[in-house]
Amino acid sequence: MKVYVSVDIEGIAGIAHWDEALHDGPDYPAFRTLMTNEAIAACEGAANAGADEIYVRDAHETARNLEIARLPSGVRVIRGWSGHPYKMIQELDDSFDALVMVGWHGPAADGGNPLSHTMTGTYANITLNGAPLSEFGINALLAATHKVPVVFLSGDAAMCAQAQAVNPEMGVVETKYGHGASVISITPAESCTRIRTGVEAALRTDFGGHALPASDHYVMELRFNHHELAYKRSFYPGADLIADDTIRIEADTIFEISRALVFM
């Protein structure tokens, strides 16, 4: 069994402020360690379930956050941004059996996490076919083109609920929920225990049919924080400026949508 583990930071237990999430923040080092702990727990759960190949994607900000010397022997680590549209699941292909997401968070404009966003802080809101687009959403659809299901996700309660609405069979661990700029969280130690157990349980189920079905057509609308950014990005091939601060892009494949996001 070959398992891909993609790790973000904004959905790990306890984190509540950008000072804790960004590499130049004063509190970042401690939360980098907590992010690494949750990644290790996921790897241990996958190994306990029988995974003999585990790839870990450092998928936050610089993509150079995890304390890689602490990761289990045999794990392969993907660091840095290549520029490929797969970004948070770079190198994922048909050879993988399952995708695990650790530390993930809600989409832009979602109140379930003070750190909610989609891809970057550039967007006030993104929708795909009329529904809010999260990082989970775009990456789950990309993985599905390789018939790889997301079998487990940990992160804020709102993101877990959104993921299970898409696939009720997915394993989840709710690390926290947000009220305004605050969070109510389980402890980091409890989060690691639940992630380890949850990943193992998810990978021991029959998850072969969990991959998401593709749509025939996609319509993405991006509302920017600043109208001048929308104007500039509207010159991307196929993009239409539909409001001073909003562009629309239509495509027949999710890869085309993901490729457009690289240039947005």
Side-chain angles (χ1 to χ4, degrees):
M1 181 165 55
K2 187 175 182 181
V3 178
Y4 193 110
V5 181
S6 182
V7 190
D8 206 350
I9 203 171
E10 292 91 350
I12 66 169
I15 196 165
H17 194 277
W18 289 111
D19 284 351
E20 302 165 342
L22 303 179
H23 75 280
D24 57 354
D27 301 317
Y28 166 78
F31 286 84
R32 174 191 186 192
T33 295
L34 299 184
M35 176 188 179
T36 303
N37 292 347
E38 293 195 3
I40 291 170
C43 291
E44 291 171 344
N48 291 343
D52 49 12
E53 289 187 79
I54 302 173
Y55 281 65
V56 173
R57 175 52 160 143
D58 189 326
H60 172 64
E61 196 195 12
T62 62
R64 293 180 283 109
N65 307 276
L66 295 172
E67 298 168 353
I68 60 174
R70 297 180 52 226
L71 295 178
S73 177
V75 166
R76 296 293 177 263
V77 188
I78 305 165
R79 304 179 73 235
W81 300 114
S82 70
H84 192 281
Y86 275 22
K87 294 176 73 68
M88 299 176 78
I89 55 169
Q90 177 191 326
E91 308 304 321
L92 187 138
D93 58 26
D94 294 1
S95 68
F96 285 89
D97 297 294
L99 173 56
V100 168
M101 297 178 169
V102 173
W104 286 50
H105 53 84
D110 187 287
N113 187 335
L115 307 180
S116 292
H117 66 281
T118 303
M119 308 307 289
T120 73
T122 303
Y123 315 114
N125 192 34
I126 304 181
T127 63
L128 186 69
N129 290 353
L133 179 62
S134 65
E135 292 171 10
F136 159 77
I138 185 74
N139 287 288
L141 288 168
L142 286 169
T145 65
H146 299 283
K147 297 183 171 56
V148 178
V150 182
V151 299
F152 175 89
L153 180 143
S154 69
D156 61 72
M159 185 65 258
C160 289
Q162 292 171 38
Q164 284 199 312
V166 173
N167 177 11
E169 302 302 316
M170 185 187 307
V172 299
V173 166
E174 298 178 0
T175 58
K176 60 185 176 182
Y177 61 93
H179 281 162
S182 71
V183 300
I184 299 87
S185 175
I186 63 176
T187 66
E190 182 178 352
S191 183
C192 288
T193 298
R194 291 188 183 187
I195 288 169
R196 186 182 300 107
T197 302
V199 170
E200 179 178 356
L203 291 172
R204 288 189 182 277
T205 64
D206 180 11
F207 52 78
H210 290 188
L212 305 182
S215 296
D216 294 330
H217 191 68
Y218 296 95
V219 179
M220 178 172 64
E221 293 189 1
L222 303 97
R223 183 164 65 86
F224 289 81
N225 290 326
H226 301 286
H227 61 82
E228 65 269 22
L229 294 178
Y231 178 78
K232 181 178 180 180
R233 267 61 165 189
S234 71
F235 292 97
Y236 178 84
D240 292 317
L241 190 67
I242 61 172
D244 286 346
D245 61 354
T246 306
I247 65 173
R248 176 185 292 143
I249 296 173
E250 300 193 36
D252 292 331
T253 69
I254 197 64
F255 179 84
E256 292 174 82
I257 292 293
S258 185
R259 181 175 60 190
L261 281 170
V262 172
F263 296 93
M264 291 296 110

